[in-house]
Amino acid sequence: MSENPSAPAAAPADGTSSAPAGTIRLTVAQALVRFLAAQHSERDGVRQRLIPGTFGIFGHGNVAGVGQALLQNAVDPAPAEAGAPAEAQMPYYQARNEQNMVHTAVAYARTKNRLQAMACTASIGPGSTNMVTGAALATIDRIPVLILPSDVFANRAVDPVLQQLEDERAMDVTVNDAFRPVSRYFDRIWRPEQLIPSLLAAMRVLTDPAETGAVTICLPQDVQAEAHDWPVELFAERTWHVGRPVPEPAALDRALEVIRGAQRPVVIAGGGAIYSEASEALAAFTDATGIPVLDTQAGKGALSADHPLCIGGIGATGNDAANTLAAEADVVIGVGTRYTDFTTASHTAFRNPDVRFVNLNVKAFDAAKHAATMLVADAREGLAALQAGLSGWQAPAAHGERARQLRADWEQLVEPCFQPHDQELPAQPEIFGALNELMGDTDIVINAAGSMPGDLQALWKARSPQQYHLEYGYSCMGYELPASLGAKMAAPESEVVAIIGDGTFQMAPQEIATIVAERFKVILVILQNHGWSSIGSLSESHGSQRFGTKYRMRDESSGMLDGDKLPFDIPANIRSYGLEVQEVSDTESFREAYRRAEQSEEATAIVVNTSLYGPNPPGIGWWDVPVSAVSRLESTQQARTQYEQDLVPQRHYL
Ligand SMILES: Cc1ncc(C[n+]2csc(CCOP(=O)(O)OP(=O)(O)O)c2C)c(N)n1
Ligand SMILES: [Mg+2]
């Protein structure tokens, strides 16, 4: 038998004794864990662990590499040695599904205003590619997460290893290349030494507000277990300063000139205003200038709903007051917003032919949108600079009065949404109205997809920057439940409520097991309407007759999915995980159930039977969903005619 060319040279079992001076001998995985545990972030003089924990699911790709390193960290962490501090703790959290664990990590980092992030380790192949969706969500939402997919053997001795994709034209391609387009930083560690520059680059991206998102370091299975003599300095405590870039003076002057000429200005507050902790600066700017503030899904709560000039949600699912002000605006000041199609109502929200944009954003890419006058800076610093520069200037008083009047009109218009309707089951806005009253200002409500984000954007009154946690960049069904864990870990004093549609629940209920195992006290509110209310009404209004959007048995005579409701029992399903469930079918019972859930020491679920057909809040916002241009169906032809009319105001802002 010939000698295995890839067999590692024999090394002493415990490592460090054989390391040359100034180095510590560890595996790649052990070095990684020890390094991550020593990283800190700092902003405004407040310092905290950058990577305070690791989520993981083990398989052959990481169990003996990263898994061994996490075990050693838990049971026998390295003492201070050779000038390096003792290895700090790296708590491990076991998840049930890899996509979910990335969602949990994202919710954690978001609740921490991006100053802390979690690591996620998964096995080779499906374990790792399960994280691609989570990575995309993180990058789109600009939230830091460290993704550690395992990868094929670097030495190729065993190819193809179980779960390896083989590309006969390029042997360095693996399934993990799917992370490249959804990561803000991507690397693969073919040799141990590569880890050093890679880790430093990864930490920089995680802590750069303009760059941050998914940071992916792929770890070949054999390399994870390989030993190397690491320079001792690698394990020193390191602090990554999270910057607050200030505006360039000339750019500030240009922005001030545009704003000073405005008669009907509005501010749009996006997620960047919250992550920068700019709420006080925004309130001060609003008080000083009298400019009304509209909010996006990510920015709601940046200015408290109690502020008289907080007008609320703009865009496709926005309220009529905000949308009327947006339509009339001559200057739009975007603060930390990406201007998604929901915010711009698919480029129909701003109707003033001369509208101009001033975009304050830490990321030049976003600041440049809509041919804006760019103000590249941290939201808090930028708002303070604008306020100082505008000293003495105010928007016309009539504009502020009109904003307040429009808001009062809207509140009157939607009041019936919160009242019981003449139907068997409650409409979900009734439930949201009750929940909004019941939750404390710093409690956290989480949602991401379905008909709920639209209703919440129109109706919810957020009184703190952390209360409204809507993932509406990727709008990923399945974010809500694992996100409740992440938010609770980040804000243990707050009640954390995940609102989950029945469709969403069926897509990803698994992390209930983690909630039970880790004893996280969250409240799950599941809205059971036997299907997809959101896509159903979209389908109906777009000529597709709610096709394929209800959860029904296949009917033998019609051959369609329009038979009886499914026997699937959500409360029984939740109970089977060991969680308590209350089931209610009216708003008063929901209130009582919520109070009980609040008082409980343990996580609980409330399943609310609601109407599939609304009614949902009224509103003038629009969303571009193209309708078939030719069709044999009358419903589609009618919808197409309407669609062509709706397209008329759509334009570029140049
Ligand atoms: C992962 C994922 N798949 C598909 C979609 C498209 N989608 C958006 S809402 C929705 C239905 C949601 O159903 P449910 O959770 O019951 O909420 P409801 O619409 O009834 O309010 C679908 C399929 C999505 N947003 N995310
Ligand atoms: Mg549903």
Side-chain angles (χ1 to χ4, degrees), residues 428 450-452 477 500-506 527-534 549 551 610-612:
Q428 76 193 13
S451 57
M452 297 143 280
M477 289 168 77
I500 307 166
D502 60 310
T504 299
F505 179 82
Q506 291 183 52
L527 299 183
Q528 166 63 299
N529 56 18
H530 299 275
W532 310 340
S533 161
S534 49
T549 65
Y551 284 147
T610 54
S611 164
L612 185 67

Side-chain angles (χ1 to χ4, degrees), residues 131-349:
M131 298 196 290
V132 172
T133 296
L137 182 150
T139 292
I140 288 166
D141 293 349
R142 315 263 159 85
I143 304 290
V145 58
L146 179 61
I147 310 256
L148 303 171
S150 299
D151 220 318
V152 301
F153 277 67
N155 68 19
R156 298 183 182 161
V158 301
D159 283 8
V161 64
L162 179 69
Q163 302 169 326
Q164 176 169 348
L165 171 84
E166 290 180 281
D167 184 336
E168 62 275 27
R169 298 157 305 168
M171 290 180 82
D172 63 345
V173 169
T174 82
V175 292
N176 287 341
D177 287 286
F179 282 97
R180 287 180 190 269
V182 296
S183 298
R184 299 299 308 164
Y185 174 82
F186 176 93
D187 205 354
R188 184 180 282 122
I189 307 300
W190 294 118
R191 293 171 56 96
E193 307 89 302
Q194 292 174 336
L195 187 67
I196 297 172
S198 189
L199 283 174
L200 295 177
M203 298 305 110
R204 180 190 66 75
V205 175
L206 284 173
T207 53
D208 181 342
E211 288 288 302
T212 200
V215 165
T216 301
I217 301 180
C218 304
L219 300 167
Q221 180 176 345
D222 53 342
V223 178
Q224 287 178 39
E226 214 168 300
H228 181 73
D229 298 321
W230 306 94
V232 66
E233 297 83 5
L234 183 64
F235 306 111
E237 279 200 3
R238 223 168 278 271
T239 302
W240 299 84
H241 175 70
V242 179
R244 290 194 178 277
V246 295
E248 188 191 338
L252 181 63
D253 287 344
R254 288 191 292 270
L256 291 169
E257 196 188 327
V258 177
I259 297 171
R260 277 199 206 100
Q263 297 296 308
R264 297 176 163 199
V266 295
V267 164
I268 299 178
I274 291 182
Y275 310 140
S276 140
E277 297 170 352
S279 290
E280 263 178 50
L282 179 59
F285 177 84
T286 310
D287 292 339
T289 62
I291 303 179
V293 177
L294 326 179
D295 49 49
T296 73
Q297 288 279 19
K300 191 180 288 300
L303 185 66
S304 167
D306 289 335
H307 193 287
L309 283 175
C310 177
I311 310 301
I314 180 190
T317 52
N319 72 60
D320 289 357
N323 281 334
T324 303
L325 290 171
E328 296 171 353
D330 54 357
V331 172
V332 176
I333 306 167
V335 180
T337 175
R338 300 192 299 128
Y339 288 106
T340 73
D341 65 344
F342 263 80
T343 296
T344 67
S346 301
H347 285 221
T348 66

Side-chain angles (χ1 to χ4, degrees), residues 31 39 53 64 93 121 146 223 239 251 254 257 271 312 371 373 401 432 439 465 504 522 549:
Q39 305 308 301
Y93 302 95
T121 171
L146 179 61
V223 178
T239 302
R254 288 191 292 270
E257 196 188 327
T373 300
E401 275 157 34
F432 295 160
M439 287 178 65
T504 299
V522 297
T549 65

